Amino acid sequence: DQQVKQNSPSLSVQEGRISILNCDYTNSMFDYFLWYKKYPAEGPTFLISISSIKDKNEDGRFTVFLNKSAKHLSLHIVPSQPGDSAVYFCAASGGTLGFGNEKLTFGTGTRLTIIP
Amino acid sequence: SQTIHQWPATLVQPVGSPLSLECTVEGTSNPNLYWYRQAAGRGLQLLFYSIGIDQISSEVPQNLSASRPQDRQFILSSKKLLLSDSGFYLCAWSRVYGYTFGSGTRLTVV
């Protein structure tokens, strides 16, 4: 059962334009969401996160939007740059107190390609 | 500062051979430690997590095992590798929200 879903395995965007990556989740107990960026043959690196008490979090060119009623979040990258080409993973945590709060469930990833 | 080391970077092993991947963390104490696998065309699947020495939880039944003999050392093992064990293995640590991942090990079972 895939609790975190990224339905677009790949996305191509022109340099300078906006990249929008989408993520859907099914577990209503999730209360914290993160985006990770991964280059080939490297470990994922943290990009941006959002708590369920917010609906938007912005950090430079990156903005994450959360729609709790739709169980949907998205990552916006504006403007897109060639160095943004990577695989992006959506992740979620929450549920029981204690350790369960820290365990992350990852989506399947979206490969973003920025076209110069 | 905290760092996480994972080795080897790549590994090619024959079917039926044993496996040992090691992960160590520096600059923190009592971290939560994780092993993830990214199989071809799939997301990051949590294999094992540990909240302390000799405290290991398995997320999925499989051919692999994990051990934590020291606070900042996490080992992924197998007695006999299967072809399906091929993938990209990632170690990670956390204290509160958010993980720091190691650089990964590309395992190819032939």
Side-chain angles (χ1 to χ4, degrees), chain B residues 7 15 79 90 101:
Chain B
W7 68 93
V15 169
K79 293 182 179 178
L90 289 157
F101 284 89

Side-chain angles (χ1 to χ4, degrees), chain A residues 99-115:
Chain A
F99 183 81
N101 262 340
E102 300 177 43
K103 194 165 57 177
L104 293 182
T105 300
F106 284 86
T108 51
T110 296
R111 181 178 301 279
L112 175 65
T113 302
I114 305 302
I115 305 165

Side-chain angles (χ1 to χ4, degrees), chain A residues 31-32 34 36 38 41-46 87 89 93 99 101-109, chain B residues 32 34 36 38 42-44 46 49-51 59 88 90 94-99 101-104:
Chain A
D31 60 5
Y32 198 76
L34 308 91
Y36 282 81
K38 183 183 179 301
E42 294 183 12
T45 55
F46 171 74
V87 176
F89 288 98
S93 73
F99 183 81
N101 262 340
E102 300 177 43
K103 194 165 57 177
L104 293 182
T105 300
F106 284 86
T108 51
Chain B
N32 295 326
Y34 311 83
Y36 278 84
Q38 183 186 12
R42 303 190 64 178
L44 297 174
L46 178 62
Y49 65 88
S50 170
I51 60 173
E59 283 293 292
F88 190 60
L90 289 157
S94 74
R95 285 298 296 272
V96 190
Y97 287 116
Y99 288 11
F101 284 89
S103 53

Side-chain angles (χ1 to χ4, degrees), chain A residues 3-116:
Chain A
Q3 297 187 64
V4 178
K5 301 177 184 178
Q6 294 176 255
N7 292 318
S8 298
S10 62
L11 176 68
S12 294
V13 175
Q14 205 76 30
E15 181 179 358
R17 296 288 189 94
I18 181 172
S19 295
I20 301 177
L21 296 96
N22 294 304
C23 177
D24 297 292
Y25 61 96
T26 57
N27 189 340
S28 59
M29 298 300 289
F30 287 145
D31 60 5
Y32 198 76
F33 304 90
L34 308 91
W35 284 94
Y36 282 81
K37 176 180 179 180
K38 183 183 179 301
Y39 293 116
E42 294 183 12
T45 55
F46 171 74
L47 197 55
I48 193 169
S49 63
I50 187 168
S51 164
S52 60
I53 62 173
K54 294 185 173 182
D55 55 18
K56 177 183 174 181
N57 188 26
E58 191 172 351
D59 183 2
R61 297 186 297 114
F62 303 92
T63 303
V64 55
F65 295 92
L66 175 63
N67 182 334
K68 290 186 289 294
S69 60
K71 293 190 178 69
H72 176 84
L73 64 155
S74 60
L75 173 68
H76 293 211
I77 306 173
V78 182
S80 300
Q81 298 174 354
D84 296 330
S85 294
V87 176
Y88 289 79
F89 288 98
C90 169
S93 73
T96 58
L97 293 175
F99 183 81
N101 262 340
E102 300 177 43
K103 194 165 57 177
L104 293 182
T105 300
F106 284 86
T108 51
T110 296
R111 181 178 301 279
L112 175 65
T113 302
I114 305 302
I115 305 165

